[in-house]
Each structure stands twice: as C-alpha cells, then as structure tokens.
Amino acid sequence: MSAVDIRNLTYTYEAGVTALRDVSIQVDKGEFVAIMGPNGAGKTTLCLHINGIIPHILGGECKGKVTVAGMNVWEHPVYEMSRKVGMVFQNPETQLFCPDLKSEIVFGPENLGVPRDEIRRRLKWALSVVRLEGLEDRAPTDLSGGQKQRAAIAAALSMMPEILVLDEATSQLDPIGTSEVFSVLKDLNKEYGITVIMATHKSELVAEVADKIFVLYKGKLVLSGDPEEVFSKVDLLNKIFVKPPAVSELAYKLSNRNIKLMPIPVTLQKAYEKLSSCVREGKIKPSPITATRKRHSKGDVIIEVKDLWYVYPGPPPIEALKGVNLRIRKGEFVAIVGQNGAGKTTLVKHFIGLLKPTKGRVIVNGKDVSTVSPAELSAEVGFVFQNPDHQLFAYTVQEEVAFGPKNLGLPEDEVNKRVEDALKLVGLWNLRNVYPFKLSFGDRRKLSVAAVIAMKPKVLVLDEPTTGQDYKGRYEITEIAARMREEGCTVIMITHDMELVAKYADRTIVMGLGKILLDGPTDEVLSKEDILEQTYIKPPQITQLAKLLSNYGVPNNILTVDEMYEVLKPG
C-alpha cells in the first residue's frame, strides 16, 4: 500500500519559478526514503506538498496528483494532513514558538487529545532520543542552533505520525548526533511502521538506512533506486553535485587503475571487506602517504584566550566555558569542532565582543575585548553567523554587502569595488538588486559571507558556514575562506563537516562541555577516536576506513579520498 503517491507533479511558485517538472514517485507504507539533490533541485518543494503546505498556504500553480495516506492533498487542509504527516523544517526557528522546551514537545500530542500519561511518556522518550534531557525548562530561543534542531525533531517525534517528513533536519547536528537521529528514525520506521521521507545531503548515512533514494535535479527526477543502485552512479552524481559516500568515490577512482570493486561499495563495512580481501590476495599493495601536510603557522599570535570562563545567566545559570586557554596565530586555518552545546559559538562570540568574559581575558590583535566595542572589533574580525537571517537587514543584496565598507569610511569607488568583488566571489553578482529574503537559504548564507569578506578583516570567523549548503556550496564557501587565508587572513571555522575539516584545516580544536579536549594538527587530532567520541565527533568515513585497514599496512591517519587513492597501489 502506498503512503505517498505523486503522479506527474509540476509546480510553479507564484513568482513564476517552476520548481518541479513532471515528477512521479511512490513511497510504500513503512519505507525509509531519502530525497537527494543539489540546492534548488526541488527537494523542499516536494516535501511541502506531502503535508499540504503547498498549495494551501504557499499557493502557486499545481498540475498532477498528490495522494498521501489515502487522501488527495488538494482536497484536505493542512490541519487535517497534520494528523497523518509530521514535518520537520530545515530552519528550526520557523517552527519553535512555545515559552519552554517541554511545552514545545507536548504541544502536538495535547492538540491531538493524547492521554496525559502517554504525553509524559512521549516527552521523556523524545528528550532522550535527541539528548536534551535536563533542558525541559529552557526557552527554545536560548538553545544553540543544533539544540534547536533537536527540539524541532523531538516535537515531531512526540506526535508519532504515520508519515514523518524531514527537510534537512540534521544539518546543524554534531556527527554522532546525526547518526543517532538516523538510527532512531530507522528504529521508528521498523518498530512502529512509520514511513520516513527525508531530504538530506548525508549520503553516507543514507546508504546505511534508506530503502529507496529519489534524486532530483533542476526540478526533475533523474535517478531512483536502492542505495547500491543510486550511489554506484558516481560519475552522474558528481556532475549534478550530489556527493556519493566517500567509499564509493574511492572505489570509482580505483577503477581507473584497473582495481575493480564490483559492485561498488556504498557502506564502510562493505568497502573494508572488499579492500582487505584485495590486499590479502595481492591485488593491492599499500604505500606510505607522500603528500606534504601543512602544520601550525609560525606567525604572531593574533588571538589569545586566558583562563576564559563564561556563565549564561539563569535561572539556572549555565557554565558554557570553563577555563579555556588558547592562542591562534596569524595565517592559520583553524577548525573548532565538538558536540552541540560544547561552547564553540560562545567562545568565538568573545572574539568580536558580542560576549564579555565572566572571568579571564580575550585579547584580539592586542585589544582586550572587555575594553573595546564590537563595532571597533569588527574592523579586525569578520563574523559569519550560524543563521544568516540574524545578520541580514538591507533592502537589496548590494546594499547588504556595502553596509560594512561604508561604515569603515571607505570612498565610494572602493566600496563599489569591494561589493562587486565579494558578490562575484560567492556567485551572487547577478542577484545584486534582489531583496535578501527572497534568496534561498543557501544563497542567504553566501550573502552573509560576502558581507563579511567585503570588509577584508584580519580574522574571518565562520560559524557553521555550510549549513543548508549542498555538495558544491560547501566547497565554494570553504574555498573562499581558503583563498582569504592565502592572502594573509586568519580563518577560524566552526563546523560539524569533518570532510571539510580534513581537507582544509591544518589545526583542529576539539571542544566538549565548555573545555578544550584536543588541540593540534588535524591528522593527529582525528586519530584520537576515543576522545572524539566523548564530544560526539566521528572522523571522516575515509579516515575510519584507513583505521580499519591499518593492520594491512594502510596508514591510519589518512584524511581524504585522494590520499587513500595515492596509498592503494596495484599489487
């Protein structure tokens, strides 16, 4: 029996943009389905049809037929569909509205008339699933970005819907937290028969749990099948900017050396089994890493943190930072990683004076942040917020980027040049006259980066810059940061994207519960799996594979697919 049956769906927004073109998909009851594709492919638009937000709320022109849980979506309003379909949005702030977390999670079951005892059981269960126990009385607005995303997931889970739709609902979660949510969704799917439909870029987790994958590109369905079928099409996926699992990429590259791993593995375990067999049989002979890795900069200290404590006022007061000591030097590319709520954002907000130390000192380029204003520090440090909507306010894209350079007192021709350079760098020059909030979330993220780099800061701080970005967008933004680093800028990036950490950061700082747990060269830090686990971090899939193969002579500190490819020579 079909849970979702979509036939020949074409949808055009009221602004005239056609987002879906003749899409037909069928999701059987009890399936776990992933919807993948680059930004702008139509994933969110498709999700919004499943619970009736389109066309009942957003309007637009629809052609085709959408049947969900046996109901024609065109004929049933959203409040009726919500009894069958739970929805978790990409931006959690769009669906959190209660004064405290407990009220947020029980709101749905209360409105469905669920008995009190059952509501209490669901509350406790949902909190444990998303690791928010003990925060029941906190206001959602006081949670970190990742914790807000967890709260939105918990609120949807508490309703126990027949069909659960998630639109990039794990994009701000730490790696192990993301894995845990996928695992819980799979358990719900198998144990309770809940149909799960998830728009996501997390290919490595999709390969582990999904029954079926639908790949969209420019509004069209271009690929569908089980994970083995879809992720074996590495060449096509790369062309349309959908990242296959790292182990699948590796297998595809090895085929160029006539090392055939067929069928192409899509999970870590399958890749290990195939590669270890090839090594044992003499088909592959591992060699040492030859690539030279960047190490710590020897430049002058530009940021110094001395015994930093920060306590958020209560009730109850929360110790977010506990005696942090840190030195960052000019020209470094530093990644800061750790679990949601580890204190990462709290730490970097001190660098621009948005927070003042409860105890200790923070010195930025010789200035004590306690004695200068954020406006003065903004000339030294550019800060790209976790949520781009928190820093956008102008009427056009161009005005947004010009605001900072104008406040620096630069002449008009220099302002114009910086605006043009920054917008071309992030690919938004052709949208310079558009109202910022008409841009997609991914493009708003790029705009927030452009607004900062136009000021040419000495230090660039990026707080989760790749949230909401597809495979292509992730690398575009990080490449911009890397280019600024080459020009002498110090880059500090908070992220949960361990592949980007492995590729770009020469130094990685691991935080957990307000403290620094590890600080050193990235390859050394990512080899400390036991400590990384304490703060819900997993090394990149290719590093995990290297560790599994270390008994066969493979170096255990490999960071990227390219490094592994160079190591695995034909026997």
Side-chain angles (χ1 to χ4, degrees), residues 153-175:
I153 293 170
L157 292 179
S158 70
M159 294 180 70
M160 297 295 290
E162 288 182 26
I163 301 166
L164 183 58
V165 182
L166 306 102
D167 183 15
E168 288 292 347
T170 62
S171 61
Q172 296 182 44
L173 300 188
D174 50 56

Side-chain angles (χ1 to χ4, degrees), residues 294-515:
K294 294 176 181 175
R295 293 300 187 189
H296 287 231
S297 167
K298 301 298 182 183
D300 295 335
V301 173
I302 193 166
I303 294 176
E304 186 166 15
V305 179
K306 299 180 178 180
D307 192 30
L308 176 61
W309 291 73
Y310 186 78
V311 179
Y312 284 102
I318 298 168
E319 285 186 340
L321 297 174
K322 305 169 185 177
V324 172
N325 290 283
L326 177 65
R327 285 183 169 186
I328 294 175
R329 298 182 179 275
K330 291 180 180 177
E332 285 191 302
F333 195 124
V334 180
I336 302 178
V337 303
Q339 71 206 85
N340 297 123
K344 305 182 299 293
T345 299
T346 300
L347 174 62
V348 297
K349 280 184 175 179
H350 282 82
F351 300 166
I352 199 165
L354 292 176
L355 296 175
K356 304 293 184 183
T358 302
K359 176 185 170 186
R361 298 179 70 199
V362 178
I363 299 165
V364 176
N365 206 25
K367 298 173 182 176
D368 190 318
V369 299
S370 295
T371 63
V372 294
S373 69
E376 190 175 344
L377 284 170
S378 68
E380 310 280 350
V381 182
F383 195 110
V384 179
F385 287 83
Q386 190 171 10
N387 186 341
D389 297 348
H390 290 170
Q391 67 188 101
L392 302 178
F393 54 84
Y395 287 108
T396 68
V397 165
Q398 190 166 259
E399 289 172 16
E400 192 73 58
V401 180
F403 181 83
K406 282 181 179 177
N407 276 349
L408 294 176
L410 299 174
E412 186 176 351
D413 58 344
E414 176 64 16
V415 171
N416 292 339
K417 182 178 185 304
R418 289 196 184 191
V419 169
E420 183 173 349
D421 289 347
L423 287 176
K424 285 182 175 177
L425 197 59
V426 301
L428 293 179
W429 177 244
N430 291 336
L431 300 174
R432 60 190 178 276
N433 295 317
V434 173
Y435 178 54
F437 287 95
K438 284 192 173 181
L439 299 176
S440 69
F441 185 83
D443 282 346
R444 297 202 300 276
R445 163 65 70 202
K446 291 179 182 177
L447 175 57
S448 68
V449 173
V452 169
I453 63 178
M455 296 180 69
K456 296 190 175 179
K458 296 181 179 69
V459 179
L460 175 64
V461 179
L462 301 144
D463 189 0
E464 290 290 352
T466 59
T467 298
Q469 294 291 332
D470 57 14
Y471 173 40
K472 181 183 178 185
R474 289 164 56 208
Y475 282 94
E476 284 177 343
I477 286 179
T478 319
E479 277 291 335
I480 290 166
R483 215 171 306 164
M484 291 184 68
R485 187 261 187 97
E486 289 172 6
E487 295 172 2
C489 183
T490 302
V491 177
I492 302 168
M493 180 173 71
I494 294 175
T495 184
H496 294 307
D497 192 323
M498 302 311 292
E499 282 196 12
L500 292 183
V501 171
K503 183 175 175 64
Y504 290 97
D506 46 279
R507 175 183 174 192
T508 297
I509 296 167
V510 179
M511 294 190 69
L513 300 176
K515 297 180 179 181

Side-chain angles (χ1 to χ4, degrees), residues 31-43:
E31 279 192 313
F32 192 123
V33 169
I35 301 172
M36 304 190 74
N39 288 356
K43 302 185 300 298

Side-chain angles (χ1 to χ4, degrees), residues 229-352:
E229 291 175 282
V230 170
F231 290 136
S232 66
K233 307 289 193 300
V234 174
D235 194 37
L236 172 61
L237 294 174
N238 283 331
K239 284 179 182 175
I240 63 174
F241 307 112
V242 174
K243 189 180 185 307
V247 294
S248 304
E249 271 193 283
L250 174 65
Y252 179 76
K253 284 175 71 78
L254 286 172
S255 66
N256 296 328
R257 288 184 172 156
N258 210 30
I259 299 173
K260 305 292 185 183
L261 304 180
M262 300 303 290
I264 284 179
V266 301
T267 66
L268 178 63
Q269 185 59 34
K270 287 291 185 185
Y272 167 68
E273 290 170 3
K274 287 177 180 289
L275 287 168
S276 59
S277 176
C278 285
V279 175
R280 287 195 302 270
E281 294 168 9
K283 296 177 182 177
I284 292 176
K285 184 178 180 181
S287 62
I289 296 175
T290 56
T292 302
R293 287 177 173 158
K294 294 176 181 175
R295 293 300 187 189
H296 287 231
S297 167
K298 301 298 182 183
D300 295 335
V301 173
I302 193 166
I303 294 176
E304 186 166 15
V305 179
K306 299 180 178 180
D307 192 30
L308 176 61
W309 291 73
Y310 186 78
V311 179
Y312 284 102
I318 298 168
E319 285 186 340
L321 297 174
K322 305 169 185 177
V324 172
N325 290 283
L326 177 65
R327 285 183 169 186
I328 294 175
R329 298 182 179 275
K330 291 180 180 177
E332 285 191 302
F333 195 124
V334 180
I336 302 178
V337 303
Q339 71 206 85
N340 297 123
K344 305 182 299 293
T345 299
T346 300
L347 174 62
V348 297
K349 280 184 175 179
H350 282 82
F351 300 166
I352 199 165

Side-chain angles (χ1 to χ4, degrees), residues 13-40:
Y13 282 97
E14 289 177 336
V17 177
T18 300
L20 295 173
R21 303 170 187 273
D22 198 31
V23 171
S24 295
I25 69 170
Q26 183 172 313
V27 179
D28 291 336
K29 187 176 172 61
E31 279 192 313
F32 192 123
V33 169
I35 301 172
M36 304 190 74
N39 288 356

